[in-house]
């Protein structure tokens, strides 16, 4: 049952106490920190490791750290990683087998690692992405066991967005800068003449118990109003947007569009967009043996629909051209994902735009397809 605790306020010391409380519970705290010229997700031992005073500049194929004068910790957009890296790791051993002295085989299933994570600073777009992966990897008939175990033990502390980036377009995917579901605690950072503090909303009983462990005060009307206003203002400052049309119908009717040739001429089919995407889930399996042939292991690893062998059948790949592979990715993400899972596969985080080495912009491509479809309809 969801807790009904009213909003509270933490100061910076309270945020540090929150991290300490999580660690004392045996949780692995993961949150944003500055490393190698980017804001990445990593294990935290103290809130001082958060990226206080850092923001980012984003554009197609561009990501830059920029200093901020206000010292905010969460005034930055999504970095190169998503929480998928922890819940659905890039490589995971499934089982191993050894040859017995009698010449038989002995199989040993790999027990999935299931650390008790506490994710600090989860953006609302990433909350939606986790919910999508829950549906794909744990909500159907066949659960990904490792994902399910890790997800059930994870505690989510959201950070609402007050500074959307140049590649953000969550509003046009049905989301927004506000955290509306799926969190245990939700933070909204406020920095003004009254100080540096965090409005806290409770979303679960576990979140309420956690809040009781750290110094906090009841939220005052001024902090609530400032926090709400900052989130509302962020909604109107998205850097990108998808066209306000029926994307399923548009993409379903654009399979032969000339625009696919245009984007194929620029796309490197490197798969970067699928690696940074917080919802892409495709995997493959591979066997690894030792030199003696007496020991083998099966590993699951991320795969990408941009890989030439991804659609390989007995006579070769089904999608041999870059055109067909980009079209597959985009139409699945925005259209046929609805047919499989009942919702879109895109949350508007903008990672695929910022981290594409060719600077391909998904919102620009959809707009071009819409324009081409409109031209065709006029003929």
């Amino acid at each position: 049952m969801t807790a009904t605790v009213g909003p509270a306020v933490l100061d910076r010391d309270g945020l540090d106490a929150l991290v300490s409380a999580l660690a004392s519970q045996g949780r692995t705290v993961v949150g944003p920190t500055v490393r190698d010229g980017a804001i990445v997700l990593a294990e935290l031992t103290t809130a001082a490791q958060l990226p206080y005073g850092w923001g980012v500049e984003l554009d197609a194929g561009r990501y830059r750290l920029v200093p901020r004068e206000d010292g905010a910790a969460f005034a930055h957009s999504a970095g190169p990683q998503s929480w998928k890296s922890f819940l659905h790791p890039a490589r995971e051993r499934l089982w191993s087998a050894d040859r017995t002295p009698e010449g038989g085989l002995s199989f040993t299933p790999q027990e999935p690692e299931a650390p008790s994570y506490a994710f600090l600073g989860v953006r609302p777009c990433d909350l939606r992405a986790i919910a999508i992966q829950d549906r794909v990897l744990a909500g159907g008939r066949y659960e990904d066991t490792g994902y399910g175990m890790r997800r059930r033990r994870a505690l989510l502390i959201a950070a609402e967005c007050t500074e959307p980036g140049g590649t953000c377009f969550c509003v046009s995917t049905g989301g927004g800068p506000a955290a509306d579901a799926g969190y245990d605690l939700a933070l909204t950072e406020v920095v003004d003449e009254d100080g540096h503090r965090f409005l806290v909303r409770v979303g679960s009983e576990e979140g309420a118990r956690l809040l009781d462990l750290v110094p906090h005060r009841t939220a005052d009307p001024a902090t609530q109003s400032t926090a709400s206003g900052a989130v509302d203002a962020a909604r109107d400052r998205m850097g990108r947007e998808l066209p306000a049309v029926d994307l399923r119908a548009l993409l379903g009717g654009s399979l032969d569009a000339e625009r696919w040739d245009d984007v194929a001429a620029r796309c490197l089919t490197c798969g970067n967009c699928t690696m940074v995407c917080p919802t892409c889930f495709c995997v493959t399996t591979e066997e690894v043996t030792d030199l003696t042939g007496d020991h083998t292991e099966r590993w699951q690893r991320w795969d990408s629909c941009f890989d030439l062998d991804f659609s390989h059948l007995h006579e070769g790949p089904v999608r041999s051209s870059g055109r067909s592979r980009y079209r597959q990715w985009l139409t699945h993400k925005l259209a046929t994902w609805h047919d499989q899972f009942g919702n879109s596969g895109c949350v508007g985080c903008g990672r695929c735009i910022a981290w594409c080495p060719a600077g391909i912009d998904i919102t620009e491509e959809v707009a071009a397809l819409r324009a081409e479809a409109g031209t065709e309809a006029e003929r």
Side-chain angles (χ1 to χ4, degrees):
M1 183 177 67
T2 302
T4 56
V5 180
V9 173
L10 297 179
D11 58 16
R12 286 185 56 164
D13 289 339
L15 189 61
D16 200 36
L18 180 67
V19 174
S20 297
L22 291 166
S24 69
Q25 295 176 348
R27 291 187 177 275
T28 300
V29 183
V30 179
T33 191
V34 175
R35 182 178 299 169
D36 299 328
I39 295 178
V40 301
L41 300 177
E43 184 174 346
L44 305 179
T45 57
T46 172
Q49 295 171 289
L50 291 167
Y52 286 106
W54 288 102
V56 295
E57 288 182 354
L58 301 175
D59 206 340
R62 176 181 170 83
Y63 177 101
R64 294 290 186 276
L65 281 179
V66 293
R68 295 180 58 90
E69 295 183 357
D70 60 6
F74 298 114
H76 57 85
S77 302
Q81 299 161 286
S82 71
W83 310 93
K84 175 177 77 172
S85 302
F86 300 91
L87 295 174
H88 183 47
R91 197 162 181 263
E92 184 175 17
R93 185 166 59 187
L94 301 179
W95 52 257
S96 60
D98 293 279
R99 195 181 304 278
T100 66
E102 295 78 22
L105 289 175
S106 172
F107 287 87
T108 304
Q110 181 72 28
E111 289 297 324
E113 294 184 12
S116 181
Y117 283 123
F119 294 156
L120 174 61
V122 183
R123 296 298 180 181
C125 59
D126 281 336
L127 277 177
R128 293 179 64 214
I130 291 172
I132 288 172
Q133 289 226 316
D134 287 349
R135 169 67 181 86
V136 174
L137 298 174
R141 182 176 179 183
Y142 301 103
E143 180 184 87
D144 182 306
T145 306
Y147 178 90
M149 292 179 64
R150 287 183 287 267
R151 178 66 182 91
R152 283 188 287 272
R153 301 190 67 190
L155 185 142
L156 307 185
I157 302 175
E160 296 193 307
C161 290
T162 57
E163 292 286 342
T167 58
C168 293
F169 58 100
C170 64
V171 171
S172 60
T173 64
D180 55 7
Y183 59 84
D184 295 287
L185 292 176
L187 309 178
T188 311
E189 189 170 22
V190 176
V191 185
D192 59 17
E193 62 275 7
D194 293 325
H196 193 167
R197 58 207 186 277
F198 304 86
L199 180 72
V200 186
R201 291 185 289 119
V202 174
S204 72
E205 296 291 349
E206 189 167 10
R209 288 192 292 270
L210 177 62
L211 184 60
D212 283 341
L213 298 177
V214 299
H216 66 276
R217 60 181 173 83
T218 301
D220 57 282
T223 297
Q224 293 186 66
S225 177
T226 302
S228 176
V231 174
D232 288 342
R235 175 176 290 274
D236 299 324
R237 301 202 318 274
M238 294 289 117
R240 298 286 201 280
E241 66 176 356
L242 286 171
V245 297
D246 185 340
L247 297 180
R248 296 173 69 185
L250 172 63
L251 291 167
S254 301
L255 299 183
D256 297 320
E258 294 180 1
R259 184 66 183 189
W260 301 120
D261 293 321
D262 182 274
V263 70
R266 292 173 282 130
C267 179
L268 305 177
T269 65
C270 64
N272 241 26
C273 51
T274 61
M275 297 298 105
V276 298
C277 177
T279 65
C280 279
F281 58 86
C282 289
V283 295
T284 188
T285 56
E286 58 187 9
E287 271 72 46
V288 181
T289 62
D290 65 6
L291 293 177
T292 67
D294 291 331
H295 178 80
T296 187
E297 298 176 350
R298 170 169 286 186
W299 287 77
Q300 174 179 281
R301 63 171 177 81
W302 288 355
D303 203 355
S304 170
C305 53
F306 283 93
D307 188 338
L308 183 61
D309 288 335
F310 183 82
S311 63
H312 192 280
L313 297 179
H314 56 284
E315 291 188 354
V318 173
R319 293 183 285 273
S320 59
S321 68
R323 179 187 195 276
S324 62
R325 279 175 272 161
Y326 188 89
R327 184 181 63 186
Q328 156 64 23
W329 173 72
L330 187 61
T331 55
H332 185 217
K333 186 66 59 178
L334 298 179
T336 56
W337 202 295
H338 285 273
D339 301 324
Q340 284 184 282
F341 307 115
N343 59 294
S344 172
C346 179
V347 295
C349 68
R351 288 183 177 94
C352 61
I353 302 173
W355 296 97
C356 174
I360 295 172
D361 181 341
I362 183 176
T363 64
E364 180 182 303
E365 297 310 314
V366 175
L369 289 168
R370 181 193 184 188
E372 183 177 339
T375 301
E376 289 294 325
E378 293 173 359
R379 292 177 182 174

